[in-house]
Amino acid sequence: MNPSSKTTPVYIGRFAPSPTGPLHLGSLYTALASFLDARHHQGKWLVRIDDVDTPRNTPGAASLILKTLEAFGLHWDETIYYESQHINRYESALARLKALNLLYPCTCSRKHLTDYAHHHGGGDRYPGICRDKNFHEQNDYAVRIKTDNGVIEFFDRLQGEFSEHLNAVHGDFIIKRKDQLFAYQLAVVVDDQAQGVTHVVRGIDLLDSTSKQIFLQTLLGYRPPSYMHLPILVDEKGQKLSKQTYAQAVDQRNPSAVLFHLLQLLKQAPPEELINSLPQEILQWGISHWHPAPLQSWTQLCPSNGFAGLN
Ligand code: GLU
Ligand code: ZN
């Protein structure tokens, strides 16, 4: 046996888009960063389709996203993981958490919670109204997990030390929704574990989900991956480019120009002549020169007008 194989850390990264529409520039930015980080570390790069939130799925979006990744030369390892094919995994994680007596049914409506916050303050934090309810006495409920008084701490490769008092900030959170769908927070943790993900590279808009995910990982006996939260791309008004703000599908007519500009937005300072190279050559340059540190001071970036990837 190779003596170093035990100590050599493996790197398994992933890009996990939700198939709610075509890939837009902001998602391609995240995909590229996670790809470069994985390949720079000789790691695997997996693609997962986060399609557990079925009402938000758009027919055809998953295959459009995959085609776009390929058009930009972002080739993944292994077969695509679709969340919707692994519901049994979420069921068994839920059962394990239930056995720890940490779950309870929450029958609060959104309106009830808004009214409650209006009268008692507390903003978005769930105030624990249903904490003492029993499953067998309820129907039509969401499942919440009891948070405790511990502080969750983690180190983010770009954002640095992060600590959050989960109960004080978020309160107990939902892991299965009233419509019976598993919540993103539970699904992502189970999937990352099932896929053996060691490094998560994603947008900073998910930074405040991370402590919930580490809380769940710890309860389920999973080892938390390393995290890196990237700045997000915004429009001139400072709004995140997202499918919700109707950001357009990324323009695929000139992949080299788009990749070049995305490298600039990743603060990689590519040499000017690289813009005339083939996508594979640009990616190769990006992989060997990858150093995310210059992104440390940024939480959002606005692509300039006339950016090659915008229609
Ligand atoms: N599916 C999530 C999204 O599209 C990303 C999940 C993650 O990276 O943890 O925003
Ligand atoms: Zn409730």
Side-chain angles (χ1 to χ4, degrees):
M1 195 175 117
N2 173 358
S4 68
S5 66
K6 263 201 157 148
T7 48
T8 314
V10 287
Y11 183 119
I12 300 179
R14 50 55 162 196
F15 172 58
S18 306
T20 54
L23 203 70
H24 60 81
L25 196 67
S27 314
L28 186 62
Y29 178 77
T30 308
L32 177 61
S34 73
F35 173 87
L36 294 176
D37 198 58
R39 296 300 189 220
H40 181 78
H41 292 97
Q42 284 93 40
K44 282 190 179 177
W45 188 64
L46 311 180
V47 172
R48 178 170 81 229
I49 300 294
D50 277 2
D51 59 354
V52 81
D53 188 354
T54 43
R56 289 182 62 222
N57 294 343
T58 306
S63 70
L64 260 179
I65 290 172
L66 298 175
K67 280 201 189 102
T68 308
L69 291 175
E70 291 199 306
F72 285 92
L74 302 181
H75 302 297
W76 54 88
D77 298 307
E78 301 184 2
T79 49
I80 304 288
Y81 180 112
Y82 290 87
E83 285 190 325
S84 54
Q85 295 172 1
H86 299 287
I87 303 297
N88 57 329
R89 293 187 175 152
Y90 315 134
E91 297 284 4
S92 51
L94 184 101
R96 287 181 56 201
L97 295 170
K98 199 167 180 180
L100 298 172
N101 283 322
L102 287 173
L103 306 186
Y104 63 87
C106 170
T107 52
C108 299
S109 65
R110 199 168 290 234
K111 172 156 188 342
H112 182 58
L113 291 176
T114 327
D115 291 350
Y116 189 97
H118 189 74
H119 289 104
H120 300 82
D124 287 340
R125 177 184 178 275
Y126 179 67
I129 300 166
C130 298
R131 258 200 163 196
D132 298 321
K133 287 188 174 155
N134 291 316
F135 281 102
H136 58 269
E137 290 164 0
Q138 311 297 331
N139 42 43
D140 205 15
Y141 54 77
V143 178
R144 284 191 190 265
I145 184 153
K146 283 184 190 165
T147 51
D148 57 29
N149 283 322
V151 173
I152 307 281
E153 291 177 336
F154 64 94
F155 179 77
D156 183 282
R157 289 169 56 207
L158 279 179
Q159 314 303 327
E161 296 291 344
F162 193 90
S163 72
E164 190 165 64
H165 192 302
L166 197 52
N167 184 275
V169 178
H170 300 285
D172 302 337
F173 61 93
I174 291 180
I175 60 170
K176 190 173 184 184
R177 306 178 346 188
K178 224 179 219 176
D179 58 10
Q180 297 308 302
L181 296 175
F182 286 98
Y184 158 68
Q185 307 295 355
L186 181 69
V188 69
V189 157
V190 171
D191 297 332
D192 283 341
Q193 172 74 10
Q195 296 188 285
V197 170
T198 59
H199 291 71
V200 170
V201 176
R202 61 185 178 188
I204 201 168
D205 52 320
L206 291 168
L207 183 61
D208 81 335
S209 283
T210 307
S211 51
K212 295 179 190 172
Q213 293 168 16
I214 292 177
F215 178 69
L216 293 175
Q217 286 156 354
T218 309
L219 291 172
L220 290 164
Y222 305 161
R223 185 195 175 128
S226 136
Y227 286 99
M228 175 154 87
H229 287 88
L230 304 162
I232 49 168
L233 299 192
V234 295
D235 61 20
E236 306 86 68
K237 293 189 211 114
Q239 293 262 38
K240 183 189 173 203
L241 296 186
S242 70
K243 292 152 205 157
Q244 285 72 31
T245 57
Y246 303 103
Q248 289 153 338
V250 64
D251 188 339
Q252 298 182 30
R253 284 170 299 182
N254 190 348
S256 292
V258 177
L259 288 171
F260 178 85
H261 285 130
L262 286 175
L263 282 178
Q264 289 184 319
L265 283 170
L266 287 167
K267 306 289 175 198
Q268 300 301 292
E272 255 166 56
E273 63 278 9
L274 196 67
I275 197 167
N276 301 315
S277 305
L278 295 169
Q280 280 313 328
E281 292 164 346
I282 299 178
L283 291 174
Q284 209 44 58
W285 185 92
I287 292 166
S288 45
H289 293 83
W290 176 242
H291 62 299
L295 286 170
Q296 259 160 13
S297 44
W298 300 91
T299 55
Q300 53 181 54
L301 292 158
C302 181
S304 55
N305 272 338
F307 183 90
L310 294 172
N311 285 307

